[in-house]
Amino acid sequence: MNFHLLKNITPLPDLILLAEFQDGTVKKYDVKPLMQKIPVFQMLEYVSGLFYQVRVDTGGYGIVWNDEIDLSCVELYYNGK
């Protein structure tokens, strides 16, 4: 599998992420649909300020909020717009 490693992640209003990849690609990713499929993601809406604490994980293979919530670079790249 070809990994598109992340360079930077920026949280935007309305639970949107702006993902910048090391190859120069930039995509927006809407987190809201995950809240319906994966209950732990609901914390991003209900825990004050948690959504804005997102950071790129070591190596750029994904993003993390805490020990329970993370997303892979593959998900962000292929499902971002």
Side-chain angles (χ1 to χ4, degrees):
M1 173 171 275
N2 189 8
F3 287 99
H4 298 274
L5 299 178
L6 286 157
K7 182 170 98 174
N8 193 38
I9 193 76
T10 305
L12 301 175
D14 200 29
L15 299 169
I16 304 291
L17 296 169
L18 182 67
E20 298 174 55
F21 296 86
Q22 291 180 11
D23 67 3
T25 302
V26 176
K27 295 196 176 201
K28 285 186 179 178
Y29 183 91
D30 186 350
V31 176
K32 291 184 293 297
L34 289 177
M35 294 177 177
Q36 297 168 355
K37 297 177 196 171
I38 308 168
V40 72
F41 279 89
Q42 294 173 7
M43 288 174 50
L44 297 176
E45 188 171 32
Y46 299 116
V47 176
S48 180
L50 181 60
F51 179 73
Y52 292 94
Q53 295 176 21
V54 66
R55 65 189 186 283
V56 175
D57 203 5
T58 304
Y61 289 97
I63 57 172
V64 296
W65 283 272
N66 59 27
D67 291 340
E68 298 175 54
I69 309 172
D70 58 26
L71 279 175
S72 74
C73 59
V74 174
E75 171 68 16
L76 293 166
Y77 190 87
Y78 289 106
N79 294 311
K81 298 185 184 337

